[in-house]
Amino acid sequence: MVNGAVARFLWTPKGLLLTVLALLTFVAARHEPLDEIGPLLISAIAAAGVIDVFILRRVKKAWEFPSGAVLTGLIIAMVLSPYEPWYVAAATSAIAVVSKYVFRSRFANIFNPAALAIVITFYIFDTGQSWWGALPEIEPFAIVLLFITGGFIANRVNKVPMVLIFLGLYYLLFTVTSFLGNPAHAAEIYRAPDLHAVLYFAFFILTDPPTSPVKYPHQLCYGAIVAVTSYAFFELVGAVYYLLAAVLVGNLWEAGRRWFATQR
């Protein structure tokens, strides 16, 4: 019976995403210092899971596996620099889980919890982000693996149009910039680790089901907003978290769209 429940969970979108991210983590870990990423992974996942399991117990009056929190902790660990102290990863995960219950609409959490927490802790701990989980040290195999696994997840959650419009407009803007201005300024966008980071972001963070739209016209608008905002943050602010800040802007737009839809 337990095995059957596990099997059913692994075929859900959360279960499939957990499996895919575990695979990417395993591949990436072979090229990263284990004594650094080990504490990062354990602290991020443990902090998120422990906090959420008790919140879920209080809210739902039953013990439940905190699958969403585990995914959040795993994403946080895969984005942060492996040289961050373990307590930074734990604190980031704690903020992420709590934010799901603080910033909520009647439908779901408003912000992508991992993105919001990483941006917040950047200002608290001056955290570094290497996106090591996106396999920036492994080429060209990494690109192929990211496209296969990411495309599978995007298709499974029915968010392929959003991913395509985001990537298309994102690279179109930087390509135009490279022709009109200094090509060296935008060149890093097309190389590791930025290339790997944006693919990981598009497939696994942008497509977060609770905070992104379902219908295709809304997906196209959402993807375009995040692409333009990413470009603007990179060009005008230059902050390392430009992708994560952009998805938070998209989250706000989607939350507002849902609210206005209910008012009508």
Side-chain angles (χ1 to χ4, degrees):
M1 188 173 182
V2 174
N3 291 338
V6 172
R8 286 193 297 273
F9 167 72
L10 291 177
W11 279 104
T12 64
K14 283 185 178 179
L16 290 170
L17 179 57
L18 186 59
T19 302
V20 165
L21 293 184
L23 171 63
L24 294 179
T25 301
F26 173 77
V27 175
R30 302 179 63 184
H31 299 268
E32 299 289 341
L34 290 177
D35 59 331
E36 299 290 347
I37 65 170
L40 191 77
L41 284 165
I42 294 171
S43 58
I45 295 172
V50 169
I51 292 172
D52 202 36
V53 77
F54 285 104
I55 294 178
L56 289 172
R57 176 70 177 86
R58 182 177 179 82
V59 172
K60 298 188 176 182
K61 310 301 181 184
W63 295 108
E64 184 176 310
F65 176 66
S67 56
V70 170
L71 281 169
T72 297
L74 184 54
I75 290 173
I76 287 171
M78 297 173 81
V79 171
L80 291 179
S81 167
Y83 301 105
E84 291 295 335
W86 67 269
Y87 59 83
V88 170
T92 305
S93 287
I95 292 172
V97 171
V98 172
S99 75
K100 291 197 305 180
Y101 299 95
V102 174
F103 302 105
R104 291 189 69 83
S105 67
R106 57 181 293 188
F107 308 102
N109 49 293
I110 295 175
F111 298 107
N112 181 293
L116 179 62
I118 293 173
V119 172
I120 290 174
T121 54
F122 172 83
Y123 289 100
I124 298 175
F125 300 109
D126 192 25
T127 52
Q129 299 164 33
S130 69
W131 296 78
W132 64 270
L135 316 177
E137 304 298 327
I138 313 169
E139 295 184 294
F141 169 72
I143 299 297
V144 176
L145 184 59
L146 282 173
F147 267 108
I148 293 175
T149 57
F152 172 75
I153 292 297
N155 181 67
R156 186 69 175 80
V157 297
N158 199 28
K159 301 293 174 72
V160 172
M162 184 168 62
V163 172
L164 292 179
I165 192 67
F166 166 76
L167 290 175
L169 185 55
Y170 176 88
Y171 279 106
L172 174 63
L173 289 170
F174 280 107
T175 299
V176 171
T177 300
S178 66
F179 278 105
L180 298 180
N182 181 9
H185 176 64
E188 61 188 278
I189 294 297
Y190 303 89
R191 298 195 298 254
D194 291 63
L195 172 60
H196 297 70
V198 76
L199 292 177
Y200 182 101
F201 169 82
F203 288 128
F204 305 123
I205 296 179
L206 182 70
T207 58
D208 177 39
T211 57
S212 61
V214 175
K215 295 183 178 180
Y216 288 164
H218 301 153
Q219 287 189 31
L220 295 177
C221 187
Y222 181 86
I225 288 172
V226 178
V228 172
T229 309
S230 298
Y231 170 80
F233 263 97
F234 182 88
E235 290 293 322
L236 301 177
V237 181
V240 67
Y241 55 78
Y242 69 99
L243 289 170
L244 302 177
V247 82
L248 297 179
V249 173
N251 293 160
L252 277 175
W253 175 85
E254 173 60 11
R257 186 200 62 76
R258 292 176 181 179
W259 185 84
F260 281 111
T262 60
Q263 300 308 301
R264 291 198 300 270

